[in-house]
Amino acid sequence: CIEVLEYCDTDPDDLIEKTRKELLTDDEQLAILMRNFNNETSSWRRESLACEVFWALVNADKQSEAEAFFKKHNDYDDLRKEYVEYLLDEEHTEEALKAIDEGIAFARKKGHDGTVHDWKECKLEVYESIKDKPNVLRMCREMFLEVHYSEVMTYYHKIKKIVAKKDWPEYRDELIAAKKNFSHSADGPLAEIYVEEKLIDRLYKHLLHSDFNLLSALERWAKLFTAEQQE
């Protein structure tokens, strides 16, 4: 009875898919996937099917065909993500990094800044996983200089953990000077950095020249100032 109830409650599309997988061989399923991919007209559905075809080829031990399929359809971001995952699983780190760089180039060409950021974050994660500190620092610095608002502090803290303490004050000041797009908010990331670094005179000057959120900043940090500064 339980099996009958489960059968009746199953979504028809899921039931068809389950039945197809049980009755068809791997090669037959792959052929159907490929046919569906070639006949699909919806761009988002076609991209989803491309990922399915890629993994079907990999799981069928047809790695060379899977790689050829990716190279033919490498303008799909989701497919590229799957390809990078596959390369990392196979410990082909250099190839994965190359595929990520190509993804960044494609995204830049299309003007998709959000996708560029996602690929850079992916690249940073790869460097972190292999403990490549010089490249982790390089990527964190690059991201710090590009991002806005709360994300600034994420990369700031990553950088601070890597740079030697004796070198940090000079590196920190150069890093702050290099960033051209700090928020003008009085309680934004630049103010948070000054507070964390105990650079209260700089915080004071920052608040004097801030465009908005001054009251919020004063409520948070007024106690840090001298009596003269508070006045």
Side-chain angles (χ1 to χ4, degrees):
C1 290
I2 292 174
E3 290 180 358
V4 171
L5 288 172
E6 288 178 347
Y7 178 89
C8 293
D9 288 340
T10 301
D11 180 272
D13 290 335
D14 291 341
L15 183 59
I16 291 170
E17 180 68 13
K18 184 174 183 293
T19 303
R20 178 175 70 80
K21 289 182 177 180
E22 289 176 350
L23 297 179
L24 300 179
T25 65
D26 290 343
D27 285 341
E28 288 171 333
Q29 290 183 49
L30 180 56
I32 291 173
L33 269 176
M34 188 64 78
R35 184 190 66 196
N36 291 344
F37 171 75
N38 290 328
N39 293 337
E40 184 58 58
T41 57
S42 167
S43 59
W44 70 268
R45 177 57 182 158
R46 185 174 167 83
E47 185 163 357
S48 177
L49 283 168
C51 296
E52 291 186 46
V53 171
F54 175 78
W55 282 113
L57 289 167
V58 170
N59 294 332
D61 291 326
K62 297 181 179 181
Q63 278 78 6
S64 60
E65 292 181 40
E67 292 182 13
F69 179 81
F70 163 74
K71 289 175 182 177
K72 186 177 179 180
H73 304 287
N74 63 9
D75 55 332
Y76 291 134
D77 283 321
D78 286 348
L79 178 58
R80 184 175 294 276
K81 290 174 186 175
E82 301 297 330
Y83 181 61
V84 168
E85 180 182 332
Y86 158 73
L87 290 174
L88 292 174
D89 287 344
E90 296 294 315
E91 298 184 351
H92 299 322
T93 306
E94 290 303 318
E95 291 180 45
L97 289 168
K98 182 180 177 181
I100 291 170
D101 284 337
E102 290 172 351
I104 292 172
F106 272 121
R108 277 181 176 153
K109 189 175 180 180
K110 295 176 183 176
H112 296 168
D113 293 341
T115 305
V116 170
H117 174 82
D118 290 344
W119 279 124
K120 286 188 175 183
E121 184 64 35
C122 180
K123 191 174 183 179
L124 173 58
E125 289 173 3
V126 173
Y127 285 136
E128 287 176 330
S129 70
I130 61 175
K131 296 178 172 58
D132 184 344
K133 279 192 175 183
N135 275 315
V136 169
L137 178 58
R138 179 178 63 82
M139 288 302 302
C140 285
R141 178 187 173 87
E142 188 174 318
M143 302 285 271
F144 174 88
L145 295 177
E146 293 176 354
V147 299
H148 303 277
Y149 308 112
S150 60
E151 287 181 306
V152 171
M153 298 306 293
T154 297
Y155 299 108
Y156 164 80
H157 287 132
K158 285 177 179 283
I159 292 169
K160 191 173 181 179
K161 286 181 180 179
I162 298 172
V163 177
K165 285 186 177 181
K166 65 182 180 62
D167 299 327
W168 175 242
E170 182 178 353
Y171 189 98
R172 174 202 65 208
D173 289 349
E174 189 277 328
L175 185 67
I176 292 172
K179 187 168 177 62
K180 305 301 182 183
N181 59 349
F182 269 119
S183 166
H184 293 295
S185 173
D187 60 353
L190 182 56
E192 291 186 30
I193 290 173
Y194 288 154
V195 171
E196 184 167 324
E197 297 293 326
K198 296 181 173 57
L199 301 170
I200 307 307
D201 286 343
R202 295 191 199 180
L203 174 64
Y204 176 70
K205 291 178 181 178
H206 171 71
L207 297 191
L208 288 180
H209 296 93
S210 295
D211 294 338
F212 52 92
N213 287 352
L214 182 58
L215 181 58
S216 172
L218 290 173
E219 288 174 343
R220 294 174 65 184
W221 299 313
K223 61 185 179 182
L224 300 176
F225 298 129
T226 64
E228 183 180 353
Q229 288 171 330
Q230 288 183 19
E231 182 63 28

